[in-house]
Amino acid sequence: MHIYLYLYRIVFLTGMLLGCSQAKSQNSYTGEDGYRTWLRYELVDNQQLLQAYKNQIQQVHLNTNSPTMQAVEEELLRGLTGLLGTKVESSLKLNPNGTLVLGTPENSPLIASLNFNEKLEQLGTEGFLIEEKNVEGHQCIVIAANTDLGVLYGTFHFLRMLQTQQNISDLELISVPQCKLRLANHWDNLDRSVERGYAGRSLWEWGTLPEYAHPRYTDYARISASVGINGVAINNVNADARFITTQFLKKIAMLADIFRPYGVKVYLAINYSSPVTLGGLKTADPLAPEVIAWWEKKTDEIYSQIPDFGGFLVKADSEGQPGPKTYGRNHAEGANMLADVIKPFGGIVIWRAFVYGERQADRVREAYDEFVPLDGKFADNVVLQIKNGPLDFMPREPFSPLFGALPHTNTMIEFQVTQEYLGNANHLLYKGRMFKESLDADTYAKGKGTTVGKVLSGEAYDYPISGMTAVVNPGTDRNWTRHPFVQSSWFAFGRLAWDYNLDAEQLAEQWIRQTFSNNETVVETIKKIMFLSDEAGVNYREPLGLTHIGTGIHYGPAPWSNRSKRFHQADDYGIGFDRSENGSNAVEQYFPPLNEIYNDIDRVPEKYLLWFHHVSWNHQMKSGRTLWEELVHKYYDGVKAVRQMQQEWNTLEGRIDEQRFSHVKALLEIQEKDAVIWRNSCVLYFQTFSQKPIPPGLEKPEFDLEYYKQLEHRIYISE
Ligand code: BDP
C-alpha cells in the first residue's frame, strides 16, 4: 500500500476511535435531535417577557370550521403552551383582556365587525395583518386575513415573534408575499433513494401509502407553511414515468390531502416520454393528436384524485431526459401542449431552463441562446425555472443572464438548499447570503435597479405567475437534513421567497433563536460561524470564480479530471475561462453596463474574475498580490475560516445542548480535514502550471500531489 495512504488510514482510524469515545461520553441526552426544526416552542426564558406574553395572551378566539383553521388552532395551542409554559385555551368568549383573535371576515363575525376592509384589500389571498386592537372594550391582538391560509401564515409569524422574543405590544403590521410561487423541489425516486439528498431515504413511504399517514407528512407541511412555502414537487426531475400511474396517484393524493390544510400544493415532475412508456403510443410528439389525447386523459385522472394539483415540472431535452426536440419541436411547443391540457384545471407547467449539450464550446451560454429566441412564445400558464447561475449549482456563480432577458416569459429561480457541491451533509454552510447575492443582483434589464428579486416577484415585468423554488433534501434522518445547519438554508430560502428584501443576517439570527437559543452569546457566536461558512466554502473549493473542480460525485476535489480541466483551463500562462469578447463572449448575454464590466479584466468583480477571464499568473490583483499569490491565499483563507468556525463552536460547550454540540463539533472536524484536502489538492495541482512557490508564512501541504490524486478514488459517500 502507498505509504501516505497507509498514514492517512491510521489518522482516519484514530479519528474514528476518538469520535466513538466522544459519543460514548454523551450522557446528557436532551431530546434535541433536530426533528422539531425551528418550530421548537421552548419556554420563553426571559421572565419579564414571559409575564408580558402571558398577560397579553390568555386565550385564543377563532372558529375552527375548516381544516386550515383547525391547523391554526393546533399550531397555536402547541406553540403557546410550549412557549408560555401554561395551557392556553381556545374559546369563543372574550376574556376581559388578553385574547388573541384570529380569522377572516368570512369565518369570524368578530373579525368582520372590526372593519379592516381597507387593509384587507392590500393582503391578497395569502397576506395577513397582526394588530393590537380594542375589541368590544377589551385589549386584544388580532391576526386577520382574507383567507384561512393567510391566518395560518400570520399564526406562524406571530409564533416566530414569541420564539425570537420580540415585543408584542402595540403591534401593527401587515405582510404580503412577493412571489406567487414559493416551491420546494424534491429529487426523490420511486425506490426512495434521493438524488443529491444525503439525509437518508425519501420521506415518502410508497410501500405504506395511501393507507398509512406517517406523522412526518404533517410535520413536513407545518415546516413548509411556517416559512411560507406553498407547493412541493415531490419527485426527481429525472422523472420516473410511473409516478403518474393510477396506483401511484392514489398514494400521492393522500400526501396532497395531508398537505392541503397547510396550503402546500403538490406538483409532479413528469417524464416527457410517458405517452410511450406508460401509454404504449409510438410517439410522444407534442403535436400528435393521440399524444395530446393521452395527456388530456391522464391530467383528468390526476385532477380527479388531486383536485388542487399544482402542475407539471419538466426537465426536457437535458442530460439524457426525453423532450420535444426528439420530434423536431422546440421547448415552447413542448411546454405549450401540456399547458393547454392543464389550463382548464387551473394548473401550470414549470419548464426547466437547465439545458446544455456538446453543441457549444461554452456550456454557460446555452440556456440563454436557447430560450431568449423563444421569449413570448410560451403560454401564460408556463413558467420557466432557471437555476440561479448559468452553469449549475456551483459554490458561486454570477446570476443567470436569463433573468431580465425574458420580458414575455414567466420566470422563476431555482436555488439549491441541498449541498450538492458544498460538502453534502458533512459541511456547515449557511446559504442565506448566497441567495441574497443572486436576488439583489442588478440585471439592468430595465435600467438600474432591475434586480433579480424584482424580476421574480413580477415587479419588473407583469408576469401572471413567477417565483422561487429550491431543491431541498429532507429525508428520513431524524433531523430531516442530516447536517443540522442545512435547515438554516431551507429556512432562509422560504423566508426570502416570501420577502426577498429580508436580510440574510436577520434571517440567520431568527433561525438561531428559534433553533438553538435566545442567549445573546449563543446567537452572536453561531451567527459568526454562519457568516464565515459561505465564503469559506467558496474559498477552499473554487475561489475567484473557479468552477467544477469536484469529483464525479461532487464531494472531494479533482482539478486534474478532464471535466475540471475544461472549466478551469489552467496552463502555463494562467487560469480561468475566457468568456470575454475574445473568448466565448458569454459576457454579451448581460445588459449594459454589465457586459462591459464583466468583459473588462480590470473592472470585473474579483469574485468572478476566473469565471469570465483567462488570467495570467502574474496578473496584479487589488490586494497588490499576483493572481497566483491571491489564489493560494484564498485557499488558505478558506481553511483558516473553518478553523475559526471550530474555535467559535467550541466556545458553545455547555451553552447549548450536548447532543447538537457534539454532533456539529464532529462534523466540523470532518470539514476541516476536507478543507485541507481541497486546498492542498488544488494548490499543488495549479502549482504544476504556475511553477511558483507557495508564499512564505503559509503552512506547507502535508503530502505531495500524487497522494491527493489517489484520494480522489476514496469513497466519500453521504448516502
Ligand atoms: C446537476 C445534478 C444532477 C441534476 C441536475 C439537474 O448533478 O443530479 O439532475 O443538476 O438539475 O447539478 O437537472
Side-chain angles (χ1 to χ4, degrees), residues 368-490:
Y368 182 101
D369 289 346
E370 183 84 44
F371 285 99
V372 168
L374 295 176
D375 186 34
K377 303 249 161 52
F378 287 94
D380 62 1
N381 61 330
V382 175
V383 57
L384 209 58
Q385 181 166 298
I386 304 162
K387 288 190 181 181
N388 60 287
L391 179 54
D392 205 335
F393 294 122
M394 296 292 104
R396 171 172 274 139
E397 300 189 32
F399 71 92
S400 165
L402 275 170
F403 297 115
L406 298 166
H408 308 293
T409 306
N410 299 326
T411 292
M412 150 165 213
I413 201 167
E414 178 174 336
F415 287 118
Q416 206 179 38
V417 162
T418 190
Q419 296 180 181
E420 176 179 354
Y421 292 97
L422 290 160
N424 301 171
N426 283 355
H427 293 194
L428 191 162
L429 197 137
Y430 169 58
K431 291 198 178 181
R433 201 159 46 170
M434 293 178 161
F435 297 153
K436 281 293 276 186
E437 196 168 297
S438 304
L439 297 171
D440 292 346
D442 197 342
T443 68
Y444 288 91
K446 292 173 80 182
K448 196 165 165 47
T450 320
T451 60
V452 171
K454 283 194 177 149
V455 172
L456 301 175
S457 62
E459 287 161 82
Y461 304 113
D462 198 13
Y463 296 143
I465 43 173
S466 57
M468 301 193 203
T469 198
V471 182
V472 295
N473 80 327
T476 51
D477 270 25
R478 184 69 189 157
N479 74 358
W480 304 86
T481 52
R482 186 159 297 186
H483 198 304
F485 277 75
V486 177
Q487 286 185 10
S488 66
S489 303
W490 189 8

Side-chain angles (χ1 to χ4, degrees), residues 13-88:
L13 281 175
T14 321
M16 297 257 293
L17 285 174
L18 281 175
C20 286
S21 62
Q22 223 165 39
K24 265 190 215 135
S25 70
Q26 256 182 50
N27 50 13
S28 51
Y29 181 84
T30 54
E32 288 289 9
D33 59 9
Y35 183 77
R36 293 179 297 167
T37 66
W38 48 87
L39 301 176
R40 284 163 63 254
Y41 304 135
E42 289 288 293
L43 182 66
V44 173
D45 59 4
N46 172 326
Q47 286 312 313
Q48 221 181 335
L49 212 49
L50 178 63
Q51 202 43 55
Y53 288 167
K54 280 185 173 169
N55 293 342
Q56 282 163 294
I57 314 160
Q58 293 168 30
Q59 69 164 44
V60 297
H61 178 289
L62 76 170
N63 278 309
T64 51
N65 50 6
S66 76
T68 299
M69 289 305 291
Q70 282 159 21
V72 167
E73 183 182 62
E74 224 176 277
E75 196 67 34
L76 265 181
L77 298 186
R78 177 206 304 246
L80 294 176
T81 306
L83 286 156
L84 308 185
T86 50
K87 206 162 161 25
V88 176

Side-chain angles (χ1 to χ4, degrees), residues 187 195-196 237-238 315 319 352 354 387 392-393 414 420-421 554:
W187 285 354
E195 184 154 336
R196 318 300 180 190
V237 287
N238 299 313
K315 172 173 176 175
E319 297 187 328
R352 292 180 91 230
F354 181 65
K387 288 190 181 181
D392 205 335
F393 294 122
E414 178 174 336
E420 176 179 354
Y421 292 97
H554 307 161

Side-chain angles (χ1 to χ4, degrees), residues 603-621:
R603 284 203 292 161
V604 64
E606 284 189 347
K607 61 185 174 185
Y608 304 138
L609 179 66
L610 305 181
W611 176 282
F612 285 113
H613 294 273
H614 188 67
V615 183
S616 157
W617 296 115
N618 297 319
H619 175 80
Q620 175 93 15
M621 302 291 288

Side-chain angles (χ1 to χ4, degrees), residues 528-550:
K528 213 183 281 172
I529 293 169
M530 289 164 82
F531 275 76
L532 282 165
S533 70
D534 48 1
E535 219 47 48
V538 172
N539 282 343
Y540 64 72
R541 285 188 183 83
E542 299 172 345
L544 299 174
L546 288 174
T547 55
H548 259 320
I549 290 180

